Amino acid sequence: MRKSFYITTPIYYPSAKLHIGHAYCTTLADTMARYKRLAGYDVFFLTGSDEHGQKIQRTAEKEGVTPIAYVDGIVAGFQKLWERLSVSNDDFIRTSEERHIKVVQEIFRRIYEKGDIYKGEYKGLYCTPCESYWTNLQLDDNGCCPDCHRPVEEVAEEAYFFRLSNYADRLLQHIEENEDFIQPVSRRNEMINFIKQGLEDLCISRTSFDWGIPVPGDEKHVIYVWFDALTNYLTPIGFLDDAEKFAKFWPADIHLVGKEIVRFHSIIWPCILMALDLPLPKQIYGHGWLVVKGDKMSKSKGNVVDPLLLIDEFGADAIRYFLLREINLGQDGNFSRDALITRINADLANDLGNLLHRTLNMIGKFQGGILVDPAGGATEFDESLTADAKTAVDNYTREMDVRALSDAVKTAWNFIGRASKYIDETAPWALAKDPAKKGALAAVLYNLAESLRIISIMVAPIMPTTAQKIHEQLNLPGDFAAVRLSDAEWGKTPLGLTVGTPVQLFPRIEIEGEGKQAVKKNKGKKS
Ligand code: ME8
């Protein structure tokens, strides 16, 4: 039976336009999903939108539209963004969809019948923009929300509670026994300390607004955001309607989330699953933030970068490459336009682009575009190139498997550098001048084309469009979508192949001015 892999991103709030920080999370998940498909897994990759709550209701009221009309427009924008970023999600879940409402109500019913949901009274301080409850002790010096520093509201209302406290011991034991359950380790330790302080029951309903999923049988209550949001992970994989699919994809292999929501995913979510007698996800991975001069990129800080504008300017693959290469998974990483342009020029236009261009040019010039049979011809540098290709693929696989994505990207680029060095070592232009070296020249050009074929496979999860272009320019037979990691074995490029004419992958970006003010003087077309 084929192995399966289920990966999720958080579902995003349609309260604001998505910025490049959100695109970071989705790019990471997409790369992991594409890598697993390449490795032969049956993958289910889920993203979506988290549409309920008082904040959305208020914004819609202000705009004079219904909440659903308001979110419809924003969510269409999310979907367009993911498409433009080459995100290969298998489903997009909206929490306002009927299929999800059914799941949430059924889960509520089951846990209520079990006795782990009960009715009580909630008193507390609530921050509407952050959709968080706080205690007096947690407020900032001005008595405001410790996260966004806006005023909190006192609320007292009848509410349903989930007995989180019932599951604290089992959860702690699970975390301690399963090292991979919460990653990276720093987040795992934070969670262990948090749970050790004791877990209070969780308020899971509200009566002060109605844009949410009604509590079954008590419809003046709507189910409060996290109980609704987290359960999205069960909806599209057949929890209620397709037992076979559900058995295939649950438990999830990884919930990839930003570090500030690890707590909800590694405490509330496992407790809900335990109450449902369902197995827990294999991993919750908390990635770091994209920061601008040390501050989290966020709308409230006014430092957001619009991913659509960046895609228009530089193309999706360049942005994906930058995010994956520049930031170590789990740590915060700096976003800057200058650093992006530097990466495009050095790594994409120069390293990768030139290798392809030079190789195809030489095959065209010296052999009429054909990969001719070396008939035993060789150079003294060939063995080390083939050995390095194998090492690169082995390292890349190991790094991808342990989610060291930026290391895997570096490994692929080191091999690009290695293949470029092979051109200098073998000097094909000199071989071409000597008829006795015809075989050696054919071997060198074959080895370069073969290196590029292997590079296109390693690049595929990172920059899918570019990988496909390399495949097409090499004029390799077959559909690139059918290529697998196991094809990254030396020698699969057919002899006699007529390669295509080179087309620049990434034009160099000329910069005018210096530092932050640098302006792109776009001479070429974006790829
Ligand atoms: O939290 N850098 O939604 P959300 C990196 N609806 N990641 C960032 C970021 C940045 N600057 N800014 C935001 C929610 N993110 C809930 C999730 S899941 C059942 C419910 C990430 O739209 C953030 O860390 O506020 C989070 O993982 C994701 O965007 C969604 O944030």
Side-chain angles (χ1 to χ4, degrees):
M1 206 175 81
R2 270 158 63 98
K3 286 181 284 186
S4 61
F5 182 74
Y6 179 30
I7 179 166
T8 67
T9 71
I11 46 173
Y12 299 91
Y13 288 130
S15 47
K17 249 182 114 168
L18 295 185
H19 56 69
I20 192 79
H22 301 111
Y24 171 59
C25 183
T26 313
T27 300
L28 291 174
D30 185 63
T31 301
M32 290 182 195
R34 285 178 184 273
Y35 169 72
K36 284 293 183 184
R37 288 190 201 107
L38 193 68
Y41 284 67
D42 270 340
V43 171
F44 197 90
F45 168 25
L46 179 68
T47 186
S49 51
D50 185 2
E51 303 186 4
H52 293 128
Q54 188 168 19
K55 190 174 164 192
I56 302 280
Q57 183 167 342
R58 285 192 183 161
T59 313
E61 274 161 14
K62 257 189 238 151
E63 300 210 353
V65 292
T66 60
I68 191 69
Y70 172 73
V71 292
D72 275 351
I74 296 187
V75 170
F78 288 9
Q79 288 167 326
K80 179 174 154 220
L81 170 61
W82 301 145
E83 207 182 304
R84 296 232 27 227
L85 197 62
S86 305
V87 172
S88 62
N89 53 303
D90 295 287
D91 202 340
F92 185 98
I93 181 77
R94 298 184 57 178
T95 53
S96 59
E97 285 175 271
E98 199 48 47
R99 59 175 175 156
H100 180 65
I101 294 170
K102 267 201 228 149
V103 166
V104 173
Q105 291 187 325
E106 177 58 22
I107 287 173
F108 190 100
R109 222 176 269 125
R110 286 189 196 176
I111 302 180
Y112 183 79
E113 272 161 24
K114 193 174 179 178
D116 280 337
I117 290 178
Y118 62 92
K119 205 188 231 182
E121 192 189 48
Y122 182 78
K123 281 201 194 105
L125 301 162
Y126 186 69
C127 173
T128 304
C130 295
E131 289 179 324
S132 299
Y133 290 98
W134 303 105
T135 62
N136 266 318
L137 283 177
Q138 292 172 306
L139 300 181
D140 71 7
D141 294 344
N142 300 319
C144 292
C145 170
D147 265 2
C148 73
H149 307 290
R150 283 178 272 212
V152 291
E153 294 172 66
E154 259 194 54
V155 292
E157 57 187 49
E158 179 189 273
Y160 285 89
F161 287 81
F162 171 48
R163 281 189 216 282
L164 213 55
S165 50
N166 265 2
Y167 295 94
D169 293 344
R170 251 175 82 187
L171 176 62
L172 193 58
Q173 192 184 348
H174 184 84
I175 296 174
E176 283 177 334
E177 284 173 0
N178 295 276
E179 219 174 289
D180 279 347
F181 182 58
I182 305 173
Q183 281 292 319
V185 169
S186 54
R187 302 270 163 282
R188 179 171 185 266
N189 296 338
E190 268 172 40
M191 291 309 121
I192 290 176
N193 291 337
F194 188 88
I195 299 165
K196 281 187 174 161
Q197 289 166 27
L199 295 182
E200 282 174 20
D201 289 350
L202 181 79
C203 175
I204 57 164
S205 81
R206 303 269 283 162
T207 50
S208 51
F209 62 92
D210 55 16
W211 175 234
I213 300 176
V215 165
D218 194 358
E219 311 232 323
K220 76 173 193 291
H221 289 263
V222 292
I223 293 170
Y224 170 63
V225 285
W226 282 100
F227 201 90
D228 166 4
L230 290 160
T231 45
N232 93 83
Y233 299 133
L234 297 180
T235 306
I237 51 159
F239 174 57
L240 287 185
D241 53 13
D242 189 340
E244 202 181 316
K245 188 172 177 186
F246 191 68
K248 181 169 177 181
F249 289 112
W250 193 260
D253 290 270
I254 173 167
H255 293 309
L256 185 69
V257 300
K259 61 183 180 182
E260 84 283 16
I261 58 172
V262 168
R263 185 153 56 100
F264 303 103
H265 282 79
S266 52
I267 297 178
I268 302 177
W269 183 222
C271 292
I272 294 174
L273 291 166
M274 285 191 266
L276 289 168
D277 296 316
L278 286 177
L280 304 191
K282 291 179 201 156
Q283 185 166 81
I284 288 128
Y285 199 108
H287 65 74
W289 288 334
L290 224 56
V291 297
V292 180
K293 287 190 244 138
D295 247 351
K296 183 188 180 196
M297 188 183 289
S298 72
K299 196 179 173 223
S300 58
K301 300 218 164 88
N303 60 359
V304 296
V305 176
D306 182 339
L308 277 175
L309 294 181
L310 274 191
I311 295 171
D312 284 345
E313 197 172 0
F314 301 107
D317 275 6
I319 293 154
R320 292 173 62 109
Y321 176 79
F322 176 83
L323 295 173
L324 291 161
R325 167 81 195 230
E326 198 83 354
I327 304 159
N328 285 324
L329 191 63
Q331 292 166 16
D332 288 351
N334 204 53
F335 179 84
S336 92
R337 237 180 110 76
D338 286 356
L340 170 64
I341 292 174
T342 303
R343 283 279 174 213
I344 292 174
N345 283 344
D347 303 6
L348 304 184
N350 204 34
D351 297 347
L352 177 59
N354 276 352
L355 178 66
L356 179 67
H357 212 263
R358 290 174 82 191
T359 299
L360 293 180
N361 252 342
M362 289 190 290
I363 299 170
K365 194 165 153 197
F366 302 140
Q367 292 181 171
I370 299 169
L371 290 178
V372 298
D373 190 339
T379 77
E380 60 182 299
F381 305 102
D382 303 353
E383 264 178 35
S384 102
L385 179 75
T386 44
D388 288 346
K390 181 170 178 346
T391 308
V393 173
D394 289 349
N395 288 346
Y396 169 90
T397 306
R398 203 190 51 245
E399 286 154 352
M400 279 292 198
D401 283 340
V402 298
R403 315 204 200 294
L405 304 192
S406 60
D407 290 342
V409 176
K410 280 177 210 149
T411 294
W413 256 256
N414 285 342
F415 184 63
I416 291 169
R418 173 66 191 94
S420 303
K421 189 172 145 217
Y422 177 76
I423 301 183
D424 300 335
E425 288 169 340
T426 56
W429 48 89
L431 298 175
K433 285 188 188 141
D434 182 351
K437 302 271 172 65
K438 231 175 135 184
L441 175 66
V444 167
L445 296 179
Y446 179 86
N447 291 342
L448 285 169
E450 181 57 359
S451 298
L452 276 158
R453 186 187 66 81
I454 289 173
I455 288 164
S456 75
I457 298 175
M458 289 194 279
V459 164
I462 304 159
M463 300 197 298
T465 310
T466 303
Q468 165 113 24
K469 281 182 186 167
I470 300 172
H471 180 90
E472 283 165 7
Q473 290 196 35
L474 286 169
N475 201 20
L476 288 162
D479 185 358
F480 188 59
V483 169
R484 293 287 165 264
L485 191 58
S486 52
D487 295 317
E489 210 181 65
W490 192 268
K492 289 200 165 187
T493 296
L495 278 173
L497 180 77
T498 303
V499 300
T501 37
V503 181
Q504 198 173 37
L505 288 179
F506 294 92
R508 262 190 82 77
I509 295 161
E510 303 293 335
I511 308 283
E512 278 175 350
E514 289 196 352
K516 278 197 304 342
Q517 301 307 318
V519 179
K520 183 185 162 200
K521 211 174 68 183
N522 197 353
K523 281 190 168 164
K525 278 196 302 163
K526 72 172 187 288
S527 66

